[in-house]
Amino acid sequence: MAVEHESRQKGLNPPEPVLLPGQTYASIDEQISAIVLKRPLTPGWLFGTLLSFAFIMLLTFTIVYLIARGIGIWGVDVPVAWGFAIANFVWWIGIGHAGTLISAILLLLNQKWRTSINRFAEAMTLFAVACAGLFPLLHLGRPWAFYWLFPYPNTMALWPQFRSPLIWDFFAVSTYLTVSLLFWYQGLIPDAAAVRDRAQNPLKRLFFGIVSLGWRGSAIHWKYYESSYWLLAALATPLVVSVHSIVSMDFAVGIVPGWHSTIFPPYFVAGAIFSGFAMVLTLAIPLRKFYHLEDMVTLRHLENMGKIVLATSLVVAYGYFQETLMAWYSGDRFEWYMVQDRAFGNYSFAFWLLLLCNVVAPQTLWVRKWRTNVLWLFVLSLIVQIGMWTERVVIVVQSLHRDFMPSAWHMYYPTVWDWAALTGSLGLFAGLFFLFIRILPMIPTHEVQKLAHEREPHPERENPAAAAKARP
Amino acid sequence: MARPFPPYTNTLSRVIVFGLFVSPILIGWIATAINWSPYINETNIPRNQPVPFSHKHHVGGLGLDCRYCHTTVETTSFANIPPIHTCMTCHSQIWKDSPMLAPIRDSYASDIPVQWTRVNFVPDFVYFNHSIHVNKGIGCETCHGRVDEMPLTARGQPLMMAWCLNCHRNPERYVRPREDVFIMGYQPPENQLTLGRQLVQQYHIRKLQDCYTCHR
Amino acid sequence: MPPIEREKGKGRREEGEEKRENPGSQFPIPLHEEMDPAMDRRAFLTLLGASLALAGLSGCTLRPPDEKIVPYVHPPDADEMTPGKPLFYATACPRNGYVDGVLVTSREGRPIKIEGNLLHPASLGASDAITQATLLEMYDPDRSQQVMHRGLPGTWDAFLGEANTYMQAQRAVRGAGLRVLTGSVTSPTLVAQIRAMQAQLPAMQWHQHEPISRDNVRAGAQMAFGRYADTLYDFTQSAVIVSLDGDFLLSMPGHVRYARDYAASRRVRTKACGPGQPAREIMSRLYVAESMPTLTGTMADHRLPLRARDIENVARALAQQVGVNGVAPTEPLPPEVAEWVAVAARDLQAFRGAGVIVPGDFQPPAVHALAHAMNAALGNTGKAVRYIAPVEAEPMDQAASFRKLVQDMQAGQVQMLIILSSNPVYTSPADLDFAGAMAKVPMSVHLGLYDDETSALCQWHIPETHYLETWSDGRAYDGTTTIMQPLIAPLYDNTRSAHELLDALLVPPGRAGHDIVKTFWSGQHRGADFEAFWRKSLNDGVAAHPLSLRRRGGTELSSGASVAGQVSLQAANPTSQPGSPSPVPGGGGLELIFRPDPTIWDGRYANNGWLQELPKPLTKLTWDNAVLMSPRTAEKLGLTRQGGTPGTHPESVPVVELRYRGRSVRGPVLILPGHPDGSATVTLGYGRTRAGHVGTGAGFNAYALRTSDALWHDDGLEIVRTDDLFSLGVTHSHQTMEGRDIVRIGSITQFRKDPHNPDGKEHVPNKPPMILPEAPPLPPSEYAWGMSIDNNVCIGCNACVVACQAENNIPVVGKEQVLGGREMHWLRIDRYYTGMDMERPTGTYFMPIPCMQCEKAPCELVCPVDATLHSDDGLNMMVYNRCVGTRYCSNNCPYKVRRFNFLQYADIAPVIQLMRNPEVTVRSRGVMEKCTYCVQRIQNAKIDAEVQDRKVGGDEVQTACQQACPTNAIVFGDINQPDSQVAQLKAEPHDYPLLAELGTRPRTTYLARLVNPNPEMRAE
Amino acid sequence: MRKERPLIYGLMAEFDTPEALLNAAKQARAAGYRRMDAFSPFAIEGLAEEVGFRFNILPWLILIGGFGGAILGYFMQWYGMAISYPINVGGRPLNSWASYVPPTFEMGVLGASLTGFFAMLALCRLPQPYHPVFTAPQFDLTTRNRFFLCLQANDPQFDARRTWQFLANLHPVHIMEVDHDPQDMVAITHRIHSEEM
């Protein structure tokens, strides 16, 4: 298998560089912009795009049917009034956290290896948040009235109820979407300029000309650019934490046993990073393979992400443990019953599945051999995502289906439409991503170039060949 | 090399960026304006009726009391539309051949009721009760406007929630002595507020903002 | 009935969205199609007004569409109606011949709610679930609206013509070929008409067939007194009650009144709490030996589940021990049964004259005879037990009568058969081939509300007027007579009442119902001022007339003593008791028990959505009947509940085949804790084939197994498991309380020791310490509404549930939705079993759960749009038109009392619109709803009070559930007024809030359930 | 000193390493040039200061934006819940400040971020699709691997010949004139060259 071969021949010590030697400013620029400008439509890309569009069609149909018939087409009931929709929402939001995290926190921590993965991680964030945003709207009984959650001057002289965590959600998610968008776009401007200058096709020139807003790499530009980029990062960091904390409060503020727990915010945030990085792995591994970016997305990146996955998995495991411990220690009859039911009740299979996926499987990453095994990382990333999704479902469904009044207990059975909405949103995510990698430079050229510069001042002098090659 | 963007694009692009800022605000403002406008709440828009009944003539001119026709206004939630019988009490004597009144006579003869077009109404989920308002000293005019000046009846006030609340929150501004309730063109005294507060005390009027006051 | 104004002629509807959703329902087209074009003008205007409301359904522009408004042409008399003001009319609801007095609310000429009649002894203001649900029956779109002739539309005149030729023919033969088939009849007018017919045609015969027959009761009386007699119980008088399979709380005639009296004997108060609630710390004691769990059994202090056939033996043993001469058990009793009998006997002896023995209607005559004997021997007769001449006009052995009819028909002796408001083809015992015999009848006429199984086989079907559209009369279980008046002109032309039909047959073309009834009564009325009598009788709903000498009682049979004499005489030589010991045990195997269905009775209400969706009191089953059996029996047969196989609902239950006397039926199994072993119960009334859109196809038909010689139970049942699975819509499947502090159960003795903890457990105080600083106290409010529910007297009869449904326009969602856990009842009655072993639960307890109206409501906190919030007077408001449907409030409600319109549930059939309560918004799809404490009643009371410049009284407002409750278990009022009943009840020591540990501060609180076990009885 | 508007926008020198550019900028500064700008594919430490970058106001704007958003956010909630339509919700105080913290925070971040981004654009005078330097041949390489220094003609120090000489001494890869109007670019360069020799 090529991947293993690669890791063997490169040897495991010292740790992989974040940028393989032999890359010049020009070659970096060439390679990245080529994906957007020169690369022909490959059947693989075409197939992937069409497939995901098929799922988008499914999603569209589900939405139309949902609006026409009502929320009842899903499996929700009383007591389980929230089903897959909210689980999906939390899951997607969680995934949406890795991007900003990588670009913001790692930037502040001055982690060089973030550079080559942050662009598409951020794109991933945007698309994930878009998917997430879909569900709270769709799961409303009257989706067309969603704007009542927004304070606007209405003839009823009414306001939203700001004590409700859902309102907090509304503010958090919309803010998060906006900020991530700005952050992502700002990072994109110089690269768009680069592509603009490479583009032969006038249409592409026009497009990237517009996107790049006339960026010309002036020193002053760079100054303001960096200062604002850093400050945005500094803002995004607490934001990203707050967003999932607030999402977790949708549950923690409720009195439902299994929801009402103070451990939720940290443990949700950790879970978010967990699933988020898993998703980055899921995307990065095929990308670097198909677009031959092994030089820029090196084993070092994958390994580091593996470490983060392992760490967050431990935090999440601690969260599970805390929940159980507190349920027992508090002596709260309802909490304790809930814990028992979680482990041995109607939905116990889901509980054990999520433990397997989120706690047991990631432990393999202690071993460097596994951690650097690209194939295993890929598989594991999928396992983790399944696990985290299951966790959300368990929190939402299992907690609700047996709360305080035994008389009201009732099972929740997802319908085909629940699954359609989930897979549809996956399709939407994939579709957006496919378009993104074709249309926009998926790796921040200028940052990698800077990286190269910091490593060896005069790459051009050392590889005149490459330099010549890069000269138009 | 290819020529870059022409200079005017600078202005253009800046205008666009600025527009991105302003347009949402503008759109929101326009939407709100429409939403509050008579186009939506139909204030002062006369409606056509099978018989062009003129309150101006009957109330302003002849000086009929509201209760002569709307008999149940003091006792029930609903101020009834007068039965054709009521019309005929006079119009069997006067204008008894007027073609304008033909539908009334036909209805009276054939026993098939006339279908008027509603002018004042609130949505089905709003439970408005005339009797309590009338008994607490809220004039007809306060909600229905100068009916005595309407040749064709139109809605005198927007009848939207914000408007209702305005009075429910400050009844003292609108309440009048019970005996003046049915007066059109009532002039509130200069000391309306003091009088109002006193009446609020006297009539035991409370500031009802609870949703259940109107929605059940 | 006067025509109505458009303004109120509608159910309130939600805003634009819903209108957009039902573009199909543009009035008036659909309504016209439903109605006969030649319908009566007033009825038409009645509908017109309502339907004009639907005009709003068109269009979804920015602006609301033009609405029309339609005045009267001639104003109604002020006393007849003021638009916007409800009117109340007294009438009576017939079932199995007996009537219950009701008071019907009418809005603009449309009945919208049925409640009990305060003046009527069988009601005293309360009513039962079925009676209230008959309102929906009247508006049922599936009602028969068309005279049918051999399955094709016919006309009344054509019918009259043909009928007359037959009548002429019969006159020739003195009516030898004429048969009239009715149910049990108490209506004096109807009897008079039939008598008149018999006078003209002496040879005609009158047969009676009531599927839920009381033959046993009659035969029992025969056995005891040598004549028919009805037994009345007065539980207020009784200290010890022994029921031998007698379900006097739900299925006996007069059960509403009995429940009221029984509750009075059980209610425990430390202080007097208003009318009917004196201070008393004693309880009556109830022993129940029963063949299947009933409401009476759940209230028992000592319950003894027995196979139906063993009851008689227990009766004999008990009789022997209370000193009835010459009776003895036919076979030895098992030890625990023996003990039960011994203890009960001692108790009865101890309270001679203050006890009651109640035989079950479905037990063989001998049990009744023995009960009479025991009551006599114990001197209970004349006190808690009284006898009156039969209320039925012509008591007869209906089984025999019906058998005779079928024989005659098969013999071809029947030329003309008139079937009055009954459905024999469906309900006839399987061994009598009534349907087959119909073929031999040249002229058969069926009068019925529905075009049903019987009408399909009749030459003529005449649509019947509903009792709310009819002039008639009838008598209650105690003989009280009510003259029934119509609330509305018949919705459909061509409909006739039984009176009108018979009258038309006798003297064509016949008179109107009003004339028939009034003429009859003017004939009956001795004394001058008939009009006064007539008006008063209509007004009170109780006829002041010789037919019922006293408000309570009817004509006394004879003094208790002499009755007792006869009884002991009879009972002395058991041999003289015909057919005892009865019934003849069949060929071994399991015992099969037939019972009326607790919701749809004998099947006549099968098309009533309210009743179909009403959870059956104990099983909480909806939309189906099932084979009920004990867990152990099910285990023996290998029928324990199994998980789903692909394609079926994951909670499906096995389907079995019941083989009984060479016939077989397939039905799903439902395990019912507390059911005796070795027997299985099936309820009648399901498996209809021509019930209507709602009822057809629901459940399985138990009549197919029922034979005329053993109507209620017999051995010889074989249960064969099939591979099929079936999904049952059970709304409450979890049996126990999981040790949570939900229903507090204590004993009266413990209560006397420590009234605050009758169950002797530690409880979280009502107001737990809060970590967060207390919110500032609410501004002092004028009113503070609250509710107190007495678990001690709640019998779980569901009357409140239906009352709530009718009052608040609660939709019916259908079986599929119930399976999905989406039933909409605002008020549900929880049922819990106690005890480790579900095989033999130590107790069954009911708890009505409305919205608790928490002062610190968790639901309000999480609503993002202020759609649920708090009013000054402490109501937890739910604003439908503001709700966007996040369903967060429901998740956060610990009591799970919130209901959500997952789909468009509100029925938009125009005729159903007429039934809606115009004071309550009809909720559209996508909004949350819940109990509002009947806020519409509160608001109207406030407005009325304010108009009169006074304050609303503490007990002035009554919620629908409170009003309906037979046992006064629910009390609502203003807790700010210390003298209000609710305030006093909340001051009772055993008052407690549900789930107090959550600190929600509910405004609805409960009184602990108390039991009064006999210390002599060994604890199980 | 020319009084009339200079014919050209400025002179542009192309370098092939960041260091060379940085050095060139330093020298230009030392030589008293003030109106100049440097262009590079990626940010170069200290370059901005050399070409005359002074005080960075951006952080302060963001601070203001942040506080503005937060205050607005809290005020909105307090006004809506406690003043405009005070309703008892779940028995909680009208001003339950604790519940209002999350939206307040989010509004703060939103305010700050929006200010940050748009202030950055404003300070960079972006969007600006057209700029004279775009007309310089090979300038497109500034987004790839070339580094440019542009001395503007409106600088008091500027003199076409001397400045050219000065740039030439910095050993750039190329020197070119940047004209206001790209049309007669070629002509001008010809003239200058001819005069040189």
Side-chain angles (χ1 to χ4, degrees), chain C residues 588-593 626-630 632-640 654-661 663-670 675-682 700 705 715-722:
Chain C
L590 293 167
E591 181 185 59
L592 177 58
I593 303 177
V627 182
L628 306 173
M629 61 181 71
S630 73
R632 193 173 295 153
T633 315
E635 207 170 325
K636 276 214 197 73
L637 298 165
L639 295 174
T640 40
V655 172
V656 294
E657 181 170 320
L658 304 175
R659 295 187 184 150
Y660 176 75
R661 301 194 170 183
R663 301 183 181 80
S664 76
V665 159
R666 292 158 65 93
V669 168
L670 188 59
H675 195 285
D677 298 333
S679 64
T681 305
V682 294
F700 63 90
L705 294 180
D715 294 356
L717 171 68
E718 188 191 353
I719 293 184
V720 184
R721 182 193 176 131
T722 71

Side-chain angles (χ1 to χ4, degrees), chain D residues 17-38:
Chain D
T17 69
E19 290 70 18
L21 173 59
L22 193 53
N23 168 43
K26 278 200 171 66
Q27 305 225 10
R29 184 158 201 76
Y33 288 97
R34 289 291 172 270
R35 304 239 168 110
M36 57 178 154
D37 198 350

Side-chain angles (χ1 to χ4, degrees), chain A residues 231-296:
Chain A
L231 286 165
L232 275 187
L235 288 166
T237 307
L239 177 64
V240 85
V241 174
S242 81
V243 169
H244 222 60
S245 303
I246 287 175
V247 169
S248 80
M249 287 177 199
D250 288 349
F251 305 100
V253 166
I255 63 172
V256 181
W259 284 13
H260 190 60
S261 152
T262 44
I263 190 79
F264 263 36
Y267 136 61
F268 264 56
V269 172
I273 301 168
F274 187 44
S275 52
F277 268 87
M279 184 56 97
V280 180
L281 278 170
T282 320
L283 298 174
I285 291 172
L287 277 181
R288 73 194 280 270
K289 177 138 191 60
F290 294 132
Y291 293 94
H292 312 298
L293 302 171
E294 285 88 353
D295 292 4
M296 297 177 210

Side-chain angles (χ1 to χ4, degrees), chain B residues 13 16 18 22 27 33 45 53 56 60 104 110 138 151 158-159 169 187-188 193 211-212:
Chain B
S13 57
I16 290 172
F18 182 72
V22 178
I27 292 168
I45 299 177
F53 176 85
K56 187 176 200 292
I104 300 292
S110 67
I138 299 301
L159 304 187
R169 283 168 178 165
Q187 290 304 332
L193 278 189
C211 316
Y212 272 172

Side-chain angles (χ1 to χ4, degrees), chain C residues 332-568:
Chain C
L333 302 172
E336 75 274 14
V337 179
E339 185 199 9
W340 186 92
V341 171
V343 174
R346 276 201 295 283
D347 230 355
L348 283 166
Q349 299 280 15
F351 292 91
R352 297 184 65 85
V356 196
I357 292 127
V358 186
D361 289 6
F362 314 127
Q363 280 298 323
V367 175
H368 290 264
L370 289 162
H372 299 319
M374 284 188 266
N375 280 326
L378 288 164
N380 300 337
T381 314
K383 299 196 181 64
V385 182
R386 283 173 7 331
Y387 298 100
I388 59 171
V391 171
E392 285 180 62
E394 180 148 330
M396 61 173 77
D397 180 345
Q398 295 187 348
S401 157
F402 189 66
R403 191 180 293 110
K404 175 80 169 51
L405 172 65
V406 176
Q407 286 162 358
D408 291 357
M409 287 162 69
Q410 276 156 343
Q413 299 167 3
V414 181
Q415 302 308 315
M416 181 176 191
L417 173 63
I418 301 167
I419 304 172
L420 294 181
S421 24
S422 87
N423 186 7
V425 171
Y426 168 68
T427 59
S428 113
D431 58 338
L432 306 177
D433 182 14
F434 184 83
M438 287 288 292
K440 296 213 173 60
V441 181
M443 174 63 170
S444 49
V445 182
H446 174 257
L447 176 76
L449 274 177
Y450 293 92
D451 181 359
D452 57 19
E453 292 84 348
T454 305
S455 61
L457 297 185
C458 288
Q459 270 75 17
W460 287 94
H461 162 69
I462 313 297
E464 186 181 12
T465 48
H466 191 267
Y467 77 88
L468 290 172
E469 307 166 327
T470 310
W471 286 96
S472 180
D473 49 19
R475 303 182 66 196
Y477 78 108
D478 66 347
T480 313
T481 307
T482 302
I483 299 174
M484 297 156 63
Q485 56 181 330
L487 266 292
I488 185 174
L491 280 184
Y492 310 111
D493 206 348
N494 300 324
T495 54
R496 294 287 186 282
S497 70
H499 305 299
E500 290 164 334
L501 176 62
L502 288 184
D503 198 63
L505 288 175
L506 278 179
V507 220
R511 297 164 294 167
H514 172 267
D515 308 342
I516 301 169
V517 177
K518 195 163 183 179
T519 325
F520 167 79
W521 281 99
S522 56
Q524 292 293 311
H525 181 74
R526 306 170 191 70
D529 189 355
F530 173 69
E531 270 307 317
F533 156 80
W534 179 254
R535 286 206 157 283
K536 179 163 174 44
S537 302
L538 290 182
N539 179 65
D540 297 355
V542 174
H545 191 273
L547 270 178
S548 50
L549 290 174
R550 311 214 317 266
R551 174 66 47 83
R552 180 122 171 67
T555 49
E556 288 293 342
L557 177 63
S558 54
S559 87
S562 66
V563 173
Q566 298 176 22
V567 174
S568 49

Side-chain angles (χ1 to χ4, degrees), chain A residues 29-30 159-160 163 168 197-198 213 216-219 221-223 227-228 239 242 449 453 458 460 470-471, chain D residues 19 37-41 49 56 58 81 84 93-94 96 99 106 113 124 128 138 140 143-146:
Chain A
D29 174 41
E30 184 61 26
W159 292 80
R163 298 175 191 82
W168 306 347
D197 296 348
R198 298 294 89 67
L213 300 176
R216 53 187 192 278
S218 140
H221 285 187
W222 280 120
K223 185 70 186 179
S227 128
S228 119
L239 177 64
S242 81
Q449 285 172 327
H453 168 242
H458 310 303
E460 312 295 75
R471 201 62 184 265
Chain D
E19 290 70 18
D37 198 350
F39 306 90
S40 58
E49 285 70 12
N56 182 358
L58 193 57
M81 298 285 94
S84 167
L94 291 176
S96 5
S99 309
E106 301 298 334
S113 318
C124 298
Q128 191 175 12
Q138 296 222 6
D140 57 349
T143 56
R144 174 169 256 196
N145 59 351
R146 285 291 186 274

Side-chain angles (χ1 to χ4, degrees), chain C residues 32-209:
Chain C
H32 277 319
E33 284 167 354
E34 282 201 20
M35 326 246 327
D36 187 308
M39 85 188 283
D40 146 68
R41 191 197 105 254
R42 297 188 136 190
F44 172 71
L45 287 179
T46 315
L47 293 185
L48 180 65
S51 44
L52 280 166
L54 293 172
L57 289 188
S58 56
C60 45
T61 52
L62 270 173
R63 304 168 66 147
D66 277 8
E67 283 191 56
K68 293 296 176 195
I69 182 162
V70 184
Y72 294 102
V73 175
H74 303 283
D77 321 350
D79 68 331
E80 192 181 356
M81 187 195 77
T82 321
K85 289 268 183 226
L87 291 172
F88 304 92
Y89 296 95
T91 179
C93 168
R95 188 181 341 145
N96 281 25
Y98 297 92
V99 301
D100 291 337
V102 294
L103 196 67
V104 185
T105 313
S106 164
R107 286 297 299 258
E108 287 76 41
R110 300 188 319 287
I112 60 161
K113 181 98 168 54
I114 297 179
E115 280 142 10
N117 178 358
L118 211 54
L119 299 177
H120 193 281
S123 158
L124 300 185
S127 53
D128 64 15
I130 294 179
T131 304
Q132 298 182 59
T134 51
L135 178 69
L136 180 59
E137 187 183 38
M138 186 194 109
Y139 289 105
D140 185 348
D142 291 346
R143 259 180 67 187
S144 162
Q145 305 166 18
Q146 180 64 272
V147 175
M148 300 295 281
H149 183 227
R150 301 179 198 278
L152 299 171
T155 68
W156 169 254
D157 299 337
F159 161 73
L160 221 47
E162 184 172 341
N164 271 313
T165 55
Y166 276 90
M167 288 299 284
Q168 294 312 332
Q170 286 307 315
R171 286 203 163 78
V173 296
R174 307 176 55 253
L178 175 62
R179 299 286 187 281
V180 174
L181 176 63
T182 68
S184 303
V185 174
T186 63
S187 160
T189 308
L190 187 61
V191 177
Q193 288 182 292
I194 297 178
R195 295 251 185 275
M197 194 177 250
Q198 283 170 325
Q200 291 187 17
L201 309 160
M204 71 160 276
Q205 280 172 51
W206 172 14
H207 299 278
Q208 293 180 13
H209 165 64

Side-chain angles (χ1 to χ4, degrees), chain B residues 47 116 124 127 136 216, chain C residues 10 12 66 919 921 946:
Chain B
R47 315 301 295 274
W116 305 94
D124 285 347
Y127 287 80
K136 293 290 178 186
R216 307 164 187 163
Chain C
K10 59 180 177 177
R12 288 285 181 163
D66 277 8
E919 296 292 332
T921 306
E946 287 292 334

